[in-house]
Amino acid sequence: MTVKKGKTSSGALSNISRRKFMGTAATVAAAGTITGFPNIVQAAEPIRAIGLGVSIINEIQSRAAKDVGFKIRGQAMGYGALFGKTLNQNDQYEVSECYFDMFDVMIPSGVFQPIDTHRIKDWDKVSNLTKTGMLTPGSQVGQGDAPVRQIWVDKDGKRTDGPSRYISALPGWHNADSLGYNPEETGRSIDSWAELFSSDFKGRVALLNIPQVGAMDAAMGMEALGLIKFGDKGNMTRPEIDVLVDFLIKKKKEGHFRAFWETFGQSVNLMVSGEVVLQSMWSPAVTAVNAEGIPCIYASPKEGMRGWHGAISISKKATGKKLDQAYEYLNWWLDGWAGAFVARQGYYMSTPANTKKHLPADEWDFWYEGKPAAKELPDPFGNPLVKKGAVRDGGSYEQRFKKIAVWNSIMSENDYLVKRWTEFLTS
Amino acid sequence: MGPVRQCRIGPNFLKAAARRRHLMSKVNEYHHAGLIGGQPEADDKTVVAKIRHTEEGFSTAWLVTPASIWLILFLVIPLVSIIVFSFWENTPQGLKPAFSLEFYGEYFYTEGFFDVEAKRFLLPSVFIRTLGSTIYFTLTTMVLCLIVGYPIAFFLAMQVQAFKFQLALFLLCMVPFWTSYLIRAVAWLPMLGRRGLINQALLGMGIVDKPVSFLFYSEFGYTMALVQIYVVLCIGPIFFSLAKIPKDILEAATDMGATPFQIFREIIGPMSMPGVAIGMIFIFVVIMGEFATAVVVYGGKTSTAGTVILNYYGIANYPFAAVNALMLMLAMVIGIVVILRIVDIRKEL
C-alpha cells in the first residue's frame, strides 16, 4: 500500500468553520436581515472521511468542500489504524477511503452499505479495470484480491457472481508496484522478480516489511526462480507460507538483506544513501529518488507487477441527509479534479476520461501515456517534480495494467503469515 | 531467584552503609556546596509553621486528586481495557466480547512441540523468542550504558569542582535531547553508512577496498545507537546520587589512609547505587518498549516485542496485540522488581 508522506488532515477545520459560521450568524442576526441564508446552507453538517495519506490530503477535501457545498472532515491514518477503524467503528465515519484488499474482511462483516450505481453519475465512465478485471481486452486479471472479485454485491451487500446494480465500494485511485533499482550499481537492467534473490546483490537488497505485501513480492521472486509454483500468491496455503518463510529465513541468515522498510521515506533513503541497490518499491518513491539526483529505475518485470486499488466505501450507519452527502462526495471523486491531483502523485484514477479533462496535455502524456515530459512538470502542490525529458518507468497506464501478476490481498491465513513473518524478522 | 540473591548487596556494602549512616549523623550539621548539597536548614519554628499551613490549606486528599484523576483516566482505564480486550474474540465480523484464553494459548504455543526427526524439543514460541531477543538487547544496552555513563557522571560530580561548570557540562550531556529522537537515530547513517564518514576514512586510508557494511543496519550499529540515545537517562540519576555524597566523608577516608580504590568500593560505589538503579530502570523500561530504533538503525531486521504489538494492531487483531502488550508489561514488572531487590532505593534516598 502506498503511503505518501501525508499532509495533515483537516480534522481541525470543522471547528474553525463552526466558529466562523457562528460569527456570521451573529452578524446576520444583528443586522436583522436574511442575507445570511447561503451561509447557513454552506455550513451544513460536515461528513467524516477516513483514509491513508494518499487520499486524505487537505487540498483534496477542501476542494471537495468548495465544490459540493459542505465540509468533509478528513482523518488521515496509517494502514493498520484505517483497517481497524473501518472494521470496528463504522459509526465514526460516513466514508472510508480504504482498499479492495481489505474486502475479504469488510464484506462479510457488513460494515458498509452497498452503493447503488444508479446514484453514481459517471458510473459508465468508470474503466473496465474494476468492472471486468481487464483495463483493455485481453489483459491479465491477476491473482489475489483483484477489485473485480470484490466489487459486485447485491442490495443486501452479499457478494454476487457477476455484475450487479450494487457495488461494495466505488473504485478510486490505484497503481502497480514492482522493483526499483540503481542501474549504475546493478550494472544490468532488472526485468524479473527473480533478481530480488540474486547473489550478485547480496547484502544490498531491501524488502517491504508489511507482511501481507512483502510476502507477495518475495513469492514473485521465488516463483520466478522456479523454486515453487504457488496456487494463488494472493491466498497462500500454510505449507506454501512455510516454504516461503523458510526460504526467506535462509536468505536472511546468509546476509542477503540490507534492510526492511515500512514507509515511503525509508525506501527513498535506502536508495539515496546507497545502502541498497535493489528493493521492492512504490512508483512515486522512484520519482522521489530521481529528484535527489540518484539514478533509479522502476522495473517492469516480465512476470507482471503487483497491483493495488483504492475503494471509497460508505458506512452502513450513514443514513438520510448524511447518506446523500456521502453520495455527493463519491460523485465528486470521479469528476476529474481529484483524478488530476492524484495523477501528479503517480496514481491513476478509475475515470481516466474525466481525469484527462482536468490535466494539461503535457501532464496527461507523461503520467498516463508514458511519454517523455515536454517540459518541467509539477507535483500536486505546484512544486517542480519531473524534469523536462524524463520518462515515467513502467510504460503507459495500459501497459502497466495489462499484466498484473497479483493484487494486494489479505490472505485467509493472514494470522499465520504474520506469525511466520515475525519469526523471519526475529531469526 | 537463586542468582538474584547472589547479586544482592554483600557484607561489604552493609558495613559501608552502617559506617555511612554513622558518618552522616555527624556531617549532617554541615552545609555542603554543590548542585545537590544540603540546603540551609530552616529553624524548627518555620518548619512547623509550613507544615501547619499545608494542613490547613490543602488536605492530602486534595493534593493527590489531580494526579489520581490523571492516572485513572490515562493509565488505569486504558490498562483495564487492554486486559479486557485480551480475552475477547476476533471474529470475521470484528471484535466480540468474550472470555477466551485462545490468544494466551497462541502466545505460548509452538506447533509440533517435539520434533520427532531431530529428537528434540522445539524452541519456545516465536513470541517468547522475540521477547527474549528484546530482553537481550535491553540488557546489553544497560551494561554498556553503565560502562559509558558512570564515568561521565563520576567525572561531573567528583572532578568538576565549580557548580557552574558542573551545570554547563551536564547541560552539554543533554544536548542530543534538544533534537528529536528520530533525528538522533537517523543521524547515524551519514556516520556509519556505506557512504558514511567511517567508511570514507577506511577507504581513504586503504584499510579496506570496499565499504564495510557491518557498521549499520547491524546488531553492532543497533546496540551502539541505543547506547548513544539512552545513556543520558542513566547519567542524570547517577550524577545526582554521586553529587549527594558529602565531600567530608571522602576527605575523612583519605585522611585515614584509604586508597582511592577503597574509597570507591566502600563509599562512593555503594552510595551511588540508588542512582545506578534508577538509571537502569529508566533505560530498561524505555528499551523494552522500543521499536522505532530497530526500524531506523537496524533496518527492521529484528523484531522487538513492540513491533509484534504493532503488527497485530496493524491487522486489527486487537486481542492478540493486547496479550502481547500484557506479556511485555509482565516482563517489565519482573525486571523492575529484580532491580529493586538488588538495590533498595527507598532506604538510600
Side-chain angles (χ1 to χ4, degrees), chain A residues 80 84 88 185 204 212 252 257-258 260 266 270 275 415 425-426, chain B residues 130 193-195 213 216-217 295 299 301-303 314-318:
Chain A
N88 289 312
E185 300 258 18
R204 310 291 300 278
Q212 295 78 16
K252 188 183 175 213
F257 300 107
R258 184 67 176 141
F260 304 110
Q266 284 167 0
L270 284 171
E275 296 293 326
D415 276 12
L425 294 183
T426 307
Chain B
T130 307
R194 289 181 62 90
R195 292 183 190 157
S213 47
F216 202 60
Y217 294 134
V295 173
K301 284 198 283 187
T302 187
S303 249
I315 59 171
N317 190 342
Y318 300 132

PDB file of all heavy atoms in Angstrom, chain A residues 80 84 88 185 204 212 252 257-258 260 266 270 275 415 425-426, chain B residues 130 193-195 213 216-217 295 299 301-303 314-318:
ATOM      1  N   GLY A  80      -2.863   0.246   9.309  1.00  0.00           N
ATOM      2  CA  GLY A  80      -3.435  -0.578  10.379  1.00  0.00           C
ATOM      3  C   GLY A  80      -4.582   0.117  11.082  1.00  0.00           C
ATOM      4  O   GLY A  80      -5.634  -0.483  11.331  1.00  0.00           O
ATOM      5  N   GLY A  84      -8.502  -1.031  11.195  1.00  0.00           N
ATOM      6  CA  GLY A  84      -9.204  -1.254  12.453  1.00  0.00           C
ATOM      7  C   GLY A  84     -10.422  -0.365  12.612  1.00  0.00           C
ATOM      8  O   GLY A  84     -11.492  -0.820  13.013  1.00  0.00           O
ATOM      9  N   ASN A  88     -14.145  -1.738  12.939  1.00  0.00           N
ATOM     10  CA  ASN A  88     -14.731  -1.777  14.278  1.00  0.00           C
ATOM     11  C   ASN A  88     -15.529  -0.538  14.672  1.00  0.00           C
ATOM     12  O   ASN A  88     -16.223  -0.542  15.681  1.00  0.00           O
ATOM     13  CB  ASN A  88     -13.632  -2.016  15.325  1.00  0.00           C
ATOM     14  CG  ASN A  88     -13.095  -3.425  15.249  1.00  0.00           C
ATOM     15  OD1 ASN A  88     -13.860  -4.384  15.209  1.00  0.00           O
ATOM     16  ND2 ASN A  88     -11.774  -3.567  15.205  1.00  0.00           N
ATOM     17  N   GLU A 185      24.677   0.729 -10.089  1.00  0.00           N
ATOM     18  CA  GLU A 185      25.193  -0.243  -9.125  1.00  0.00           C
ATOM     19  C   GLU A 185      24.923  -1.681  -9.550  1.00  0.00           C
ATOM     20  O   GLU A 185      25.726  -2.563  -9.296  1.00  0.00           O
ATOM     21  CB  GLU A 185      24.576   0.015  -7.738  1.00  0.00           C
ATOM     22  CG  GLU A 185      24.883   1.404  -7.195  1.00  0.00           C
ATOM     23  CD  GLU A 185      25.982   1.383  -6.141  1.00  0.00           C
ATOM     24  OE1 GLU A 185      26.732   0.382  -6.084  1.00  0.00           O
ATOM     25  OE2 GLU A 185      26.096   2.366  -5.389  1.00  0.00           O
ATOM     26  N   ARG A 204      22.723  -6.050  -0.388  1.00  0.00           N
ATOM     27  CA  ARG A 204      22.343  -4.738  -0.925  1.00  0.00           C
ATOM     28  C   ARG A 204      20.877  -4.720  -1.346  1.00  0.00           C
ATOM     29  O   ARG A 204      20.483  -3.934  -2.190  1.00  0.00           O
ATOM     30  CB  ARG A 204      23.216  -4.374  -2.137  1.00  0.00           C
ATOM     31  CG  ARG A 204      24.719  -4.518  -1.945  1.00  0.00           C
ATOM     32  CD  ARG A 204      25.280  -3.498  -0.988  1.00  0.00           C
ATOM     33  NE  ARG A 204      25.072  -2.109  -1.400  1.00  0.00           N
ATOM     34  CZ  ARG A 204      25.837  -1.454  -2.268  1.00  0.00           C
ATOM     35  NH1 ARG A 204      26.835  -2.048  -2.843  1.00  0.00           N
ATOM     36  NH2 ARG A 204      25.601  -0.172  -2.537  1.00  0.00           N
ATOM     37  N   GLN A 212       1.842  -8.756   4.583  1.00  0.00           N
ATOM     38  CA  GLN A 212       0.933  -9.146   3.511  1.00  0.00           C
ATOM     39  C   GLN A 212       1.518  -8.825   2.137  1.00  0.00           C
ATOM     40  O   GLN A 212       1.322  -9.574   1.178  1.00  0.00           O
ATOM     41  CB  GLN A 212      -0.416  -8.421   3.652  1.00  0.00           C
ATOM     42  CG  GLN A 212      -1.207  -8.777   4.893  1.00  0.00           C
ATOM     43  CD  GLN A 212      -0.676  -8.076   6.141  1.00  0.00           C
ATOM     44  OE1 GLN A 212       0.085  -7.122   6.058  1.00  0.00           O
ATOM     45  NE2 GLN A 212      -1.055  -8.565   7.306  1.00  0.00           N
ATOM     46  N   LYS A 252      18.041 -14.580   4.851  1.00  0.00           N
ATOM     47  CA  LYS A 252      18.381 -13.555   5.838  1.00  0.00           C
ATOM     48  C   LYS A 252      19.637 -13.957   6.590  1.00  0.00           C
ATOM     49  O   LYS A 252      20.518 -13.146   6.850  1.00  0.00           O
ATOM     50  CB  LYS A 252      17.214 -13.372   6.810  1.00  0.00           C
ATOM     51  CG  LYS A 252      17.423 -12.187   7.737  1.00  0.00           C
ATOM     52  CD  LYS A 252      16.322 -12.035   8.757  1.00  0.00           C
ATOM     53  CE  LYS A 252      16.669 -10.922   9.717  1.00  0.00           C
ATOM     54  NZ  LYS A 252      16.163 -11.158  11.067  1.00  0.00           N
ATOM     55  N   PHE A 257      19.770  -9.645   2.963  1.00  0.00           N
ATOM     56  CA  PHE A 257      19.008  -8.400   3.049  1.00  0.00           C
ATOM     57  C   PHE A 257      19.775  -7.324   3.800  1.00  0.00           C
ATOM     58  O   PHE A 257      20.346  -7.571   4.853  1.00  0.00           O
ATOM     59  CB  PHE A 257      17.665  -8.644   3.746  1.00  0.00           C
ATOM     60  CG  PHE A 257      16.805  -9.650   3.030  1.00  0.00           C
ATOM     61  CD1 PHE A 257      16.620 -10.919   3.560  1.00  0.00           C
ATOM     62  CD2 PHE A 257      16.207  -9.332   1.829  1.00  0.00           C
ATOM     63  CE1 PHE A 257      15.840 -11.856   2.902  1.00  0.00           C
ATOM     64  CE2 PHE A 257      15.426 -10.257   1.159  1.00  0.00           C
ATOM     65  CZ  PHE A 257      15.245 -11.531   1.693  1.00  0.00           C
ATOM     66  N   ARG A 258      19.751  -6.122   3.232  1.00  0.00           N
ATOM     67  CA  ARG A 258      20.375  -4.986   3.913  1.00  0.00           C
ATOM     68  C   ARG A 258      19.406  -4.410   4.938  1.00  0.00           C
ATOM     69  O   ARG A 258      19.799  -3.981   6.010  1.00  0.00           O
ATOM     70  CB  ARG A 258      20.748  -3.919   2.874  1.00  0.00           C
ATOM     71  CG  ARG A 258      21.500  -2.726   3.434  1.00  0.00           C
ATOM     72  CD  ARG A 258      22.872  -3.125   3.906  1.00  0.00           C
ATOM     73  NE  ARG A 258      23.652  -1.981   4.374  1.00  0.00           N
ATOM     74  CZ  ARG A 258      24.452  -2.051   5.434  1.00  0.00           C
ATOM     75  NH1 ARG A 258      24.567  -3.169   6.110  1.00  0.00           N
ATOM     76  NH2 ARG A 258      25.153  -0.999   5.797  1.00  0.00           N
ATOM     77  N   PHE A 260      14.819  -3.841   5.928  1.00  0.00           N
ATOM     78  CA  PHE A 260      13.404  -3.960   5.594  1.00  0.00           C
ATOM     79  C   PHE A 260      12.759  -2.609   5.857  1.00  0.00           C
ATOM     80  O   PHE A 260      12.957  -2.028   6.912  1.00  0.00           O
ATOM     81  CB  PHE A 260      12.735  -5.043   6.447  1.00  0.00           C
ATOM     82  CG  PHE A 260      13.402  -6.379   6.321  1.00  0.00           C
ATOM     83  CD1 PHE A 260      14.113  -6.918   7.373  1.00  0.00           C
ATOM     84  CD2 PHE A 260      13.346  -7.070   5.128  1.00  0.00           C
ATOM     85  CE1 PHE A 260      14.744  -8.143   7.241  1.00  0.00           C
ATOM     86  CE2 PHE A 260      13.973  -8.299   4.994  1.00  0.00           C
ATOM     87  CZ  PHE A 260      14.676  -8.833   6.051  1.00  0.00           C
ATOM     88  N   GLN A 266      11.478   5.801   4.095  1.00  0.00           N
ATOM     89  CA  GLN A 266      12.573   4.860   4.332  1.00  0.00           C
ATOM     90  C   GLN A 266      13.089   4.267   3.026  1.00  0.00           C
ATOM     91  O   GLN A 266      14.294   4.139   2.823  1.00  0.00           O
ATOM     92  CB  GLN A 266      12.108   3.730   5.256  1.00  0.00           C
ATOM     93  CG  GLN A 266      12.011   4.137   6.710  1.00  0.00           C
ATOM     94  CD  GLN A 266      11.269   3.106   7.527  1.00  0.00           C
ATOM     95  OE1 GLN A 266      10.818   2.082   7.025  1.00  0.00           O
ATOM     96  NE2 GLN A 266      11.132   3.368   8.810  1.00  0.00           N
ATOM     97  N   LEU A 270      16.956   4.594   1.679  1.00  0.00           N
ATOM     98  CA  LEU A 270      17.804   3.431   1.421  1.00  0.00           C
ATOM     99  C   LEU A 270      18.475   3.546   0.057  1.00  0.00           C
ATOM    100  O   LEU A 270      19.651   3.231  -0.094  1.00  0.00           O
ATOM    101  CB  LEU A 270      16.970   2.146   1.478  1.00  0.00           C
ATOM    102  CG  LEU A 270      16.594   1.655   2.873  1.00  0.00           C
ATOM    103  CD1 LEU A 270      15.603   0.507   2.782  1.00  0.00           C
ATOM    104  CD2 LEU A 270      17.841   1.204   3.628  1.00  0.00           C
ATOM    105  N   GLU A 275      22.739   2.515   0.364  1.00  0.00           N
ATOM    106  CA  GLU A 275      22.767   1.290   1.165  1.00  0.00           C
ATOM    107  C   GLU A 275      22.240   0.118   0.352  1.00  0.00           C
ATOM    108  O   GLU A 275      22.632  -1.023   0.550  1.00  0.00           O
ATOM    109  CB  GLU A 275      21.926   1.462   2.426  1.00  0.00           C
ATOM    110  CG  GLU A 275      22.438   2.522   3.397  1.00  0.00           C
ATOM    111  CD  GLU A 275      23.763   2.133   4.022  1.00  0.00           C
ATOM    112  OE1 GLU A 275      23.974   0.932   4.258  1.00  0.00           O
ATOM    113  OE2 GLU A 275      24.601   3.023   4.241  1.00  0.00           O
ATOM    114  N   ASP A 415      -3.248 -14.456   9.788  1.00  0.00           N
ATOM    115  CA  ASP A 415      -2.648 -14.533  11.121  1.00  0.00           C
ATOM    116  C   ASP A 415      -1.412 -15.426  11.122  1.00  0.00           C
ATOM    117  O   ASP A 415      -0.404 -15.106  11.748  1.00  0.00           O
ATOM    118  CB  ASP A 415      -3.676 -15.057  12.142  1.00  0.00           C
ATOM    119  CG  ASP A 415      -4.564 -13.940  12.662  1.00  0.00           C
ATOM    120  OD1 ASP A 415      -4.534 -12.840  12.070  1.00  0.00           O
ATOM    121  OD2 ASP A 415      -5.278 -14.172  13.655  1.00  0.00           O
ATOM    122  N   LEU A 425      11.650 -12.131  10.908  1.00  0.00           N
ATOM    123  CA  LEU A 425      12.361 -10.931  11.367  1.00  0.00           C
ATOM    124  C   LEU A 425      13.185 -11.212  12.610  1.00  0.00           C
ATOM    125  O   LEU A 425      14.268 -10.665  12.784  1.00  0.00           O
ATOM    126  CB  LEU A 425      11.360  -9.806  11.661  1.00  0.00           C
ATOM    127  CG  LEU A 425      10.595  -9.264  10.458  1.00  0.00           C
ATOM    128  CD1 LEU A 425       9.709  -8.114  10.879  1.00  0.00           C
ATOM    129  CD2 LEU A 425      11.547  -8.818   9.358  1.00  0.00           C
ATOM    130  N   THR A 426      12.674 -12.074  13.495  1.00  0.00           N
ATOM    131  CA  THR A 426      13.390 -12.356  14.739  1.00  0.00           C
ATOM    132  C   THR A 426      14.609 -13.238  14.485  1.00  0.00           C
ATOM    133  O   THR A 426      15.599 -13.149  15.202  1.00  0.00           O
ATOM    134  CB  THR A 426      12.443 -13.041  15.745  1.00  0.00           C
ATOM    135  OG1 THR A 426      11.276 -12.248  15.876  1.00  0.00           O
ATOM    136  CG2 THR A 426      13.096 -13.188  17.100  1.00  0.00           C
TER     137      THR A 426
ATOM    138  N   THR B 130      10.899 -13.612  20.588  1.00  0.00           N
ATOM    139  CA  THR B 130      11.006 -12.181  20.297  1.00  0.00           C
ATOM    140  C   THR B 130      11.189 -11.396  21.586  1.00  0.00           C
ATOM    141  O   THR B 130      12.036 -10.513  21.678  1.00  0.00           O
ATOM    142  CB  THR B 130       9.744 -11.686  19.568  1.00  0.00           C
ATOM    143  OG1 THR B 130       9.527 -12.515  18.451  1.00  0.00           O
ATOM    144  CG2 THR B 130       9.908 -10.259  19.125  1.00  0.00           C
ATOM    145  N   GLY B 193      26.995   4.615   7.627  1.00  0.00           N
ATOM    146  CA  GLY B 193      26.507   4.035   6.376  1.00  0.00           C
ATOM    147  C   GLY B 193      27.626   3.658   5.410  1.00  0.00           C
ATOM    148  O   GLY B 193      28.796   3.948   5.655  1.00  0.00           O
ATOM    149  N   ARG B 194      27.229   3.023   4.322  1.00  0.00           N
ATOM    150  CA  ARG B 194      28.221   2.586   3.333  1.00  0.00           C
ATOM    151  C   ARG B 194      28.977   3.775   2.748  1.00  0.00           C
ATOM    152  O   ARG B 194      30.141   3.654   2.375  1.00  0.00           O
ATOM    153  CB  ARG B 194      27.535   1.822   2.200  1.00  0.00           C
ATOM    154  CG  ARG B 194      27.032   0.461   2.615  1.00  0.00           C
ATOM    155  CD  ARG B 194      26.398  -0.228   1.429  1.00  0.00           C
ATOM    156  NE  ARG B 194      27.372  -0.447   0.368  1.00  0.00           N
ATOM    157  CZ  ARG B 194      28.117  -1.544   0.277  1.00  0.00           C
ATOM    158  NH1 ARG B 194      28.007  -2.504   1.153  1.00  0.00           N
ATOM    159  NH2 ARG B 194      28.972  -1.681  -0.704  1.00  0.00           N
ATOM    160  N   ARG B 195      28.268   4.901   2.628  1.00  0.00           N
ATOM    161  CA  ARG B 195      28.955   6.108   2.156  1.00  0.00           C
ATOM    162  C   ARG B 195      29.240   7.049   3.313  1.00  0.00           C
ATOM    163  O   ARG B 195      29.436   8.244   3.122  1.00  0.00           O
ATOM    164  CB  ARG B 195      28.092   6.816   1.112  1.00  0.00           C
ATOM    165  CG  ARG B 195      27.961   6.030  -0.161  1.00  0.00           C
ATOM    166  CD  ARG B 195      27.168   6.783  -1.193  1.00  0.00           C
ATOM    167  NE  ARG B 195      26.839   5.922  -2.320  1.00  0.00           N
ATOM    168  CZ  ARG B 195      25.830   6.126  -3.144  1.00  0.00           C
ATOM    169  NH1 ARG B 195      25.040   7.163  -2.967  1.00  0.00           N
ATOM    170  NH2 ARG B 195      25.590   5.300  -4.143  1.00  0.00           N
ATOM    171  N   SER B 213      29.969  -3.155   5.691  1.00  0.00           N
ATOM    172  CA  SER B 213      28.545  -2.937   5.952  1.00  0.00           C
ATOM    173  C   SER B 213      28.115  -3.381   7.347  1.00  0.00           C
ATOM    174  O   SER B 213      26.948  -3.257   7.696  1.00  0.00           O
ATOM    175  CB  SER B 213      27.706  -3.637   4.888  1.00  0.00           C
ATOM    176  OG  SER B 213      28.158  -4.944   4.694  1.00  0.00           O
ATOM    177  N   PHE B 216      26.344  -0.534  10.043  1.00  0.00           N
ATOM    178  CA  PHE B 216      24.986  -0.015  10.071  1.00  0.00           C
ATOM    179  C   PHE B 216      24.018  -1.095   9.621  1.00  0.00           C
ATOM    180  O   PHE B 216      24.411  -2.038   8.948  1.00  0.00           O
ATOM    181  CB  PHE B 216      24.883   1.212   9.157  1.00  0.00           C
ATOM    182  CG  PHE B 216      23.745   2.115   9.492  1.00  0.00           C
ATOM    183  CD1 PHE B 216      23.678   2.713  10.745  1.00  0.00           C
ATOM    184  CD2 PHE B 216      22.743   2.376   8.583  1.00  0.00           C
ATOM    185  CE1 PHE B 216      22.625   3.564  11.073  1.00  0.00           C
ATOM    186  CE2 PHE B 216      21.694   3.217   8.901  1.00  0.00           C
ATOM    187  CZ  PHE B 216      21.630   3.811  10.143  1.00  0.00           C
ATOM    188  N   TYR B 217      22.751  -0.944   9.993  1.00  0.00           N
ATOM    189  CA  TYR B 217      21.767  -1.998   9.748  1.00  0.00           C
ATOM    190  C   TYR B 217      22.301  -3.320  10.274  1.00  0.00           C
ATOM    191  O   TYR B 217      22.221  -4.351   9.611  1.00  0.00           O
ATOM    192  CB  TYR B 217      21.427  -2.105   8.253  1.00  0.00           C
ATOM    193  CG  TYR B 217      20.729  -0.890   7.715  1.00  0.00           C
ATOM    194  CD1 TYR B 217      21.105  -0.310   6.524  1.00  0.00           C
ATOM    195  CD2 TYR B 217      19.679  -0.319   8.417  1.00  0.00           C
ATOM    196  CE1 TYR B 217      20.453   0.818   6.035  1.00  0.00           C
ATOM    197  CE2 TYR B 217      19.020   0.805   7.941  1.00  0.00           C
ATOM    198  CZ  TYR B 217      19.418   1.367   6.756  1.00  0.00           C
ATOM    199  OH  TYR B 217      18.775   2.476   6.281  1.00  0.00           O
ATOM    200  N   VAL B 295      13.804  -0.183  13.599  1.00  0.00           N
ATOM    201  CA  VAL B 295      13.433   0.051  12.203  1.00  0.00           C
ATOM    202  C   VAL B 295      14.444   0.971  11.534  1.00  0.00           C
ATOM    203  O   VAL B 295      14.964   0.686  10.459  1.00  0.00           O
ATOM    204  CB  VAL B 295      12.019   0.665  12.115  1.00  0.00           C
ATOM    205  CG1 VAL B 295      11.703   1.059  10.681  1.00  0.00           C
ATOM    206  CG2 VAL B 295      10.986  -0.323  12.637  1.00  0.00           C
ATOM    207  N   GLY B 299      17.349  -1.377  10.404  1.00  0.00           N
ATOM    208  CA  GLY B 299      16.673  -1.684   9.153  1.00  0.00           C
ATOM    209  C   GLY B 299      15.561  -2.689   9.313  1.00  0.00           C
ATOM    210  O   GLY B 299      15.257  -3.440   8.387  1.00  0.00           O
ATOM    211  N   LYS B 301      15.547  -5.371  10.834  1.00  0.00           N
ATOM    212  CA  LYS B 301      15.984  -6.758  10.697  1.00  0.00           C
ATOM    213  C   LYS B 301      15.828  -7.562  11.977  1.00  0.00           C
ATOM    214  O   LYS B 301      16.256  -8.699  12.070  1.00  0.00           O
ATOM    215  CB  LYS B 301      17.425  -6.815  10.193  1.00  0.00           C
ATOM    216  CG  LYS B 301      17.484  -6.502   8.707  1.00  0.00           C
ATOM    217  CD  LYS B 301      18.757  -6.948   8.058  1.00  0.00           C
ATOM    218  CE  LYS B 301      19.894  -5.995   8.386  1.00  0.00           C
ATOM    219  NZ  LYS B 301      21.106  -6.329   7.625  1.00  0.00           N
ATOM    220  N   THR B 302      15.249  -6.944  12.986  1.00  0.00           N
ATOM    221  CA  THR B 302      14.901  -7.722  14.158  1.00  0.00           C
ATOM    222  C   THR B 302      13.486  -7.337  14.553  1.00  0.00           C
ATOM    223  O   THR B 302      12.992  -6.291  14.177  1.00  0.00           O
ATOM    224  CB  THR B 302      15.863  -7.470  15.330  1.00  0.00           C
ATOM    225  OG1 THR B 302      15.550  -8.391  16.366  1.00  0.00           O
ATOM    226  CG2 THR B 302      15.744  -6.061  15.858  1.00  0.00           C
ATOM    227  N   SER B 303      12.858  -8.222  15.280  1.00  0.00           N
ATOM    228  CA  SER B 303      11.534  -7.916  15.799  1.00  0.00           C
ATOM    229  C   SER B 303      11.689  -7.645  17.285  1.00  0.00           C
ATOM    230  O   SER B 303      12.352  -8.396  17.969  1.00  0.00           O
ATOM    231  CB  SER B 303      10.632  -9.127  15.628  1.00  0.00           C
ATOM    232  OG  SER B 303       9.658  -8.878  14.690  1.00  0.00           O
ATOM    233  N   GLY B 314      -1.845  -3.696  13.482  1.00  0.00           N
ATOM    234  CA  GLY B 314      -1.966  -3.362  12.071  1.00  0.00           C
ATOM    235  C   GLY B 314      -2.975  -4.224  11.335  1.00  0.00           C
ATOM    236  O   GLY B 314      -3.546  -3.799  10.339  1.00  0.00           O
ATOM    237  N   ILE B 315      -3.176  -5.478  11.780  1.00  0.00           N
ATOM    238  CA  ILE B 315      -4.182  -6.302  11.115  1.00  0.00           C
ATOM    239  C   ILE B 315      -5.446  -6.358  11.963  1.00  0.00           C
ATOM    240  O   ILE B 315      -6.270  -7.250  11.822  1.00  0.00           O
ATOM    241  CB  ILE B 315      -3.660  -7.715  10.798  1.00  0.00           C
ATOM    242  CG1 ILE B 315      -3.229  -8.442  12.078  1.00  0.00           C
ATOM    243  CG2 ILE B 315      -2.506  -7.662   9.819  1.00  0.00           C
ATOM    244  CD1 ILE B 315      -2.912  -9.908  11.847  1.00  0.00           C
ATOM    245  N   ALA B 316      -5.577  -5.376  12.857  1.00  0.00           N
ATOM    246  CA  ALA B 316      -6.775  -5.217  13.684  1.00  0.00           C
ATOM    247  C   ALA B 316      -7.059  -6.441  14.544  1.00  0.00           C
ATOM    248  O   ALA B 316      -8.188  -6.723  14.895  1.00  0.00           O
ATOM    249  CB  ALA B 316      -7.998  -4.871  12.838  1.00  0.00           C
ATOM    250  N   ASN B 317      -6.002  -7.209  14.879  1.00  0.00           N
ATOM    251  CA  ASN B 317      -6.184  -8.304  15.823  1.00  0.00           C
ATOM    252  C   ASN B 317      -5.853  -7.751  17.213  1.00  0.00           C
ATOM    253  O   ASN B 317      -4.807  -8.022  17.788  1.00  0.00           O
ATOM    254  CB  ASN B 317      -5.265  -9.475  15.461  1.00  0.00           C
ATOM    255  CG  ASN B 317      -5.588 -10.709  16.269  1.00  0.00           C
ATOM    256  OD1 ASN B 317      -6.248 -10.630  17.307  1.00  0.00           O
ATOM    257  ND2 ASN B 317      -5.130 -11.852  15.798  1.00  0.00           N
ATOM    258  N   TYR B 318      -6.784  -6.935  17.726  1.00  0.00           N
ATOM    259  CA  TYR B 318      -6.515  -6.237  18.987  1.00  0.00           C
ATOM    260  C   TYR B 318      -6.345  -7.174  20.174  1.00  0.00           C
ATOM    261  O   TYR B 318      -5.506  -6.919  21.033  1.00  0.00           O
ATOM    262  CB  TYR B 318      -7.604  -5.200  19.263  1.00  0.00           C
ATOM    263  CG  TYR B 318      -7.703  -4.156  18.176  1.00  0.00           C
ATOM    264  CD1 TYR B 318      -8.913  -3.800  17.625  1.00  0.00           C
ATOM    265  CD2 TYR B 318      -6.548  -3.550  17.702  1.00  0.00           C
ATOM    266  CE1 TYR B 318      -8.990  -2.855  16.609  1.00  0.00           C
ATOM    267  CE2 TYR B 318      -6.615  -2.613  16.682  1.00  0.00           C
ATOM    268  CZ  TYR B 318      -7.844  -2.267  16.141  1.00  0.00           C
ATOM    269  OH  TYR B 318      -7.902  -1.337  15.142  1.00  0.00           O
TER     270      TYR B 318
END
